[in-house]
């Protein structure tokens, strides 16, 4: 009987591994194609399916072009990095403060406020694009001023993303706060010296999600920076390359840009994956 169970378990494991390998190949195939196309020579023409997937000659021309004077890729990359860093820092600070207040303090209208924000978060953000555009335009934060405008919009609504972080703070015993308060510590001191050091996973989770949103943003970024190439982020700029008349040539440069855009995010997730998972699971324990 034990031998039969071992055989069934071995077969089940083998099937599971085969399925996972197949899924991994399907998932990694587009990334492999992106890398191969980025290494294709700029002047190499198309052909059959095999010729399209495997370049006849490998070249770094597309990567060289990105950093040449003919391209604004470095500026676009810098714009994206600037927006993402500012949003990650400011949005993390705001959402941590809001989440701590909702988790630890009791005040009139608290429940209504949480429910109202939760309902608002269910509506797609692009529904407010027209209103936000005209509002930003009044303050000169479109086109040439698109970068601070995009930072402002991302940070202004960050408090509505309190739900997961508040759930994590709820798992920290309130007895610690009460003991510190009895000893004379202010709420600010409790927050910065006790809660923050114990909340590293959720802080990393908040910073990563805040960094990813502007890093991958296309719709709102293209809307705010419309017609002013110096204010483009990489998503908008690379999309413009696809719509040029020289599609065959610029596609390889588009792929090379996509690889360079993916590198920072990949490194961040590889280094901080442990804390990211802890933050998500910890914040999901309580609402």
């Amino acid at each position: 009987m034990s031998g039969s169970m071992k055989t069934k378990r071995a077969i089940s494991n083998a099937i599971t591994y085969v399925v996972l390998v197949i899924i991994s190949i399907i998932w990694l195939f587009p990334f492999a194609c992106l890398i191969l196309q980025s290494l294709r020579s700029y002047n190499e023409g198309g052909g059959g399916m095999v010729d399209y997937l495997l370049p006849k000659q490998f070249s770094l021309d597309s990567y060289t072009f990105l950093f040449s004077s003919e391209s604004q890729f470095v500026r676009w990359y810098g714009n994206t990095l600037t927006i993402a860093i500012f949003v990650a820092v400011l949005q993390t600070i705001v959402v941590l403060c809001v989440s701590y207040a909702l988790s630890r303090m009791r005040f009139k209208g608290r429940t209504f406020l949480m429910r109202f924000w939760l309902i608002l978060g269910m509506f797609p953000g692009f529904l407010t694009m027209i209103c936000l555009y005209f509002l930003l335009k009044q303050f000169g934060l479109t086109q040439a001023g698109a970068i601070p405008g995009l930072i402002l919009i991302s940070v202004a609504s960050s408090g509505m993303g309190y739900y997961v972080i508040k759930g994590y703070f709820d798992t920290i015993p309130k007895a610690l706060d009460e003991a510190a308060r009895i000893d004379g510590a202010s709420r600010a001191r409790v927050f910065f010296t006790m809660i923050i050091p114990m909340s590293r996973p959720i802080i990393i989770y908040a910073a990563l999600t805040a960094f990813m949103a502007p890093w991958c943003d296309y719709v709102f970024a293209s809307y705010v920076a419309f017609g002013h190439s110096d204010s483009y982020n990489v998503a908008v700029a690379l999309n413009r390359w696809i719509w040029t008349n020289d599609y065959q040539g610029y596609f390889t440069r588009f792929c090379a840009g996509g690889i360079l855009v993916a590198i920072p995010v990949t490194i961040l997730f590889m280094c901080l994956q442990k804390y990211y998972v802890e933050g998500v699971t910890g914040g999901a324990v309580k609402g």
Side-chain angles (χ1 to χ4, degrees), residues 98-130:
V98 171
S99 301
Y100 175 74
L102 294 176
S103 174
R104 289 300 196 262
M105 300 179 186
R106 297 295 182 268
F107 50 89
K108 188 176 181 179
R110 169 181 170 274
T111 303
F112 171 78
L113 186 63
M114 289 193 296
R115 292 176 179 175
F116 180 69
W117 281 349
L118 192 61
I119 294 173
L120 280 183
M122 297 179 181
F123 291 91
F126 61 79
L127 292 177
T128 61
M129 283 178 56
I130 296 177

Side-chain angles (χ1 to χ4, degrees), residues 26-194:
I26 295 173
W27 185 76
L28 291 173
F29 181 75
F31 297 96
C33 291
L34 189 69
I35 295 173
L36 292 174
Q37 292 305 308
S38 70
L39 297 174
R40 181 187 293 273
S41 175
Y42 177 80
N43 297 316
E44 183 179 333
M49 180 61 70
V50 176
D51 292 334
Y52 181 77
L53 294 177
L54 298 175
K56 296 178 182 178
Q57 56 180 357
F58 292 91
S59 172
L60 295 177
D61 292 344
S62 297
Y63 292 95
T64 303
F65 173 80
L66 296 180
F67 296 96
S68 67
S69 58
E70 303 176 43
S71 169
Q72 291 183 284
F73 181 80
V74 175
R75 182 183 185 88
W76 298 329
Y77 202 93
N79 291 343
T80 310
L81 190 62
T82 300
I83 296 171
I85 290 176
F86 272 94
V87 170
V89 174
L90 297 177
Q91 184 170 316
T92 301
I93 293 173
V94 172
V95 74
L96 285 175
C97 293
V98 171
S99 301
Y100 175 74
L102 294 176
S103 174
R104 289 300 196 262
M105 300 179 186
R106 297 295 182 268
F107 50 89
K108 188 176 181 179
R110 169 181 170 274
T111 303
F112 171 78
L113 186 63
M114 289 193 296
R115 292 176 179 175
F116 180 69
W117 281 349
L118 192 61
I119 294 173
L120 280 183
M122 297 179 181
F123 291 91
F126 61 79
L127 292 177
T128 61
M129 283 178 56
I130 296 177
C131 295
L132 289 176
Y133 176 80
F134 283 106
L135 181 62
L136 292 175
K137 190 175 182 180
Q138 294 297 320
F139 294 95
L141 297 177
T142 60
Q143 296 184 324
I147 295 176
L150 291 170
I151 295 173
L152 176 62
I153 292 300
S154 297
V155 175
S157 59
S158 57
M160 294 172 56
Y162 72 91
Y163 197 74
V164 175
I165 302 176
K166 174 190 173 296
Y168 189 93
F169 286 160
D170 288 342
T171 64
I172 300 176
K174 294 182 181 179
L176 298 176
D177 300 42
E178 295 170 357
R181 294 279 292 169
I182 292 174
D183 291 338
S186 63
R187 289 193 180 275
R189 185 172 182 181
V190 172
F191 178 63
F192 286 108
T193 62
M194 295 180 60

Side-chain angles (χ1 to χ4, degrees), residues 1-18:
M1 187 67 181
S2 59
S4 176
M5 290 295 295
K6 289 182 179 179
T7 303
K8 290 181 179 179
R9 182 175 299 177
I11 295 174
S12 176
N13 290 339
I15 294 174
T16 302
Y17 292 143
V18 170

